[in-house]
Amino acid sequence: MLRLSILALTMTLLSGMVGCSQGADDPGSHPQEAAAHETEGKLSEQGPPDSNALENANSGTLDDLTTETSTTKDNRSSEPTARATEDFPEPAQVPENAERIYAHNAGSEGWFIYSALLGGQASLLTFYSPDRGANWKLSAWKLDPDLNQRMTDSNIFVAMAKTGGKNQIWILLTSDPGAGLMTKKLYLSDNELQSFSLVSDMSDKVEGYVSGVTFADAQHGWIAASYHDSVTVPLYRTTDGGKNWVLQHIDIPEGFKYGNVSPPQFDASDSKTGSLAIEFVSDTENRTYIYKTTDAGEHWDK
């Protein structure tokens, strides 16, 4: 991958990148999209952020990027977070110290997310190309104080759903656990990663280590997790686009202690049909069961 020098990069970005601000922190309220738009080659913010908003990335430029050791943990998303076909070009305007934590492409479209430090604060750099890398739209945003750590692919989970011909992209960010607590926040972008709004803070609603997130459409989604002390499978469901989440009850079979669940997968041609893999663990064995649904995830049967 071609890397530009910091000076050349700064000139290319016309001396600045601006992050986007999040919506209100009330999960029951409608998220207010924090718009970022391109003006004369420079990303600028539209309107001042509120006190809880994601901080603007123009307080530090890409010159502020510094090297820092990434942290890791065992929970992984079932969706590959560093995946792109080998023939899809990676953005050329990526700073040397930025680490790719998510990549996905579909036909001529490509989405890339990098973890970086801007002004000493944990940030994400996002890139989108509609034409196989001939042109890129990019944005940068600094993370909330409770997510102020260098993100790795263990901390980010991405889901996409197309509604009315437009991509909806959900990003679930988690902190590393500290003092038994883990921040979990869900953001939504409907403009190809150029801005985000906070949909909900599930830190006290979703227990365990997140293993993935899936949305079948704009309203129906699931968060899968691993939680060894749970008396039921840690699978959470939303029917309002991610603002509220409830535990979807699936019994743990007799003889097993807990279940590790992967996010469900739905048929591309029939969103009512899907499958769900759950690994059940006992003292003597691990056994995976595949559950099926034919009613868009209302019920899951072995």
Side-chain angles (χ1 to χ4, degrees):
M1 175 183 66
L2 177 62
R3 299 284 187 175
L4 301 182
S5 68
I6 294 301
L7 177 59
L9 177 61
T10 304
M11 294 176 63
T12 303
L13 298 182
L14 297 182
S15 74
M17 299 173 71
V18 173
C20 58
S21 56
Q22 70 184 30
D25 205 19
D26 179 6
S29 64
H30 183 74
Q32 298 177 354
E33 181 174 333
H37 60 280
E38 288 186 307
T39 304
E40 298 179 350
K42 179 179 178 180
L43 289 172
S44 61
E45 180 191 352
Q46 186 174 25
D50 59 37
S51 59
N52 293 321
L54 293 170
E55 294 185 26
N56 295 338
N58 63 346
S59 60
T61 68
L62 296 181
D63 291 329
D64 297 315
L65 287 168
T66 57
T67 303
E68 194 172 272
T69 302
S70 298
T71 57
T72 59
K73 63 185 179 187
D74 291 334
N75 61 307
R76 296 284 172 175
S77 171
S78 63
E79 176 177 347
T81 55
R83 179 188 66 191
T85 56
E86 294 182 358
D87 61 347
F88 200 99
E90 199 162 347
Q93 297 172 319
V94 181
E96 183 67 31
N97 294 324
E99 178 184 0
R100 191 181 78 180
I101 57 176
Y102 177 80
H104 176 73
N105 70 277
S108 62
E109 294 182 290
W111 299 264
F112 290 77
I113 302 176
Y114 296 80
S115 176
L117 294 179
L118 292 174
Q121 186 171 344
S123 305
L124 295 181
L125 308 178
T126 65
F127 294 79
Y128 166 70
S129 174
D131 48 18
R132 300 192 61 79
N135 295 282
W136 292 96
K137 293 181 179 180
L138 61 153
S139 184
W141 52 296
K142 291 186 177 181
L143 302 181
D144 293 340
D146 52 359
L147 287 168
N148 188 23
Q149 65 178 66
R150 184 87 178 234
M151 292 285 109
T152 74
D153 61 359
S154 299
N155 306 109
I156 182 171
F157 306 90
V158 182
M160 286 188 181
K162 190 175 287 290
T163 303
K166 190 175 186 179
N167 287 318
Q168 303 263 79
I169 305 174
W170 289 266
I171 293 183
L172 175 57
L173 296 178
T174 71
S175 67
D176 287 337
L181 301 175
M182 179 187 295
T183 300
K184 304 179 182 79
K185 289 187 174 182
L186 181 70
Y187 299 87
L188 173 65
S189 174
D190 61 3
N191 58 4
E192 311 297 358
L193 303 181
Q194 295 309 289
S195 66
F196 297 86
S197 56
L198 178 67
V199 179
S200 60
D201 184 341
M202 300 96 65
S203 303
D204 60 350
K205 301 179 181 68
V206 173
E207 296 184 307
Y209 291 88
V210 174
S211 57
V213 59
T214 294
F215 274 80
D217 54 43
Q219 299 299 317
H220 298 86
W222 289 261
I223 291 175
S226 172
Y227 184 38
H228 294 184
D229 293 328
S230 178
V231 296
T232 186
V233 173
L235 179 67
Y236 296 84
R237 184 176 183 235
T238 182
T239 58
D240 57 10
K243 292 188 284 293
N244 295 284
W245 296 85
V246 296
L247 187 65
Q248 188 167 26
H249 188 82
I250 297 178
D251 288 325
I252 297 176
E254 185 176 355
F256 292 94
K257 289 186 172 182
Y258 59 89
N260 298 320
V261 59
S262 298
Q265 305 294 322
F266 289 89
D267 193 317
S269 61
D270 179 11
S271 61
K272 291 187 176 182
T273 302
S275 61
L276 175 69
I278 306 176
E279 178 194 42
F280 292 103
V281 180
S282 71
D283 289 332
T284 59
E285 67 171 323
N286 293 15
R287 185 182 299 177
T288 299
Y289 291 101
I290 304 298
Y291 290 73
K292 301 288 187 179
T293 184
T294 56
D295 57 8
E298 288 285 344
H299 304 89
W300 298 95
D301 298 306
K302 283 193 291 185

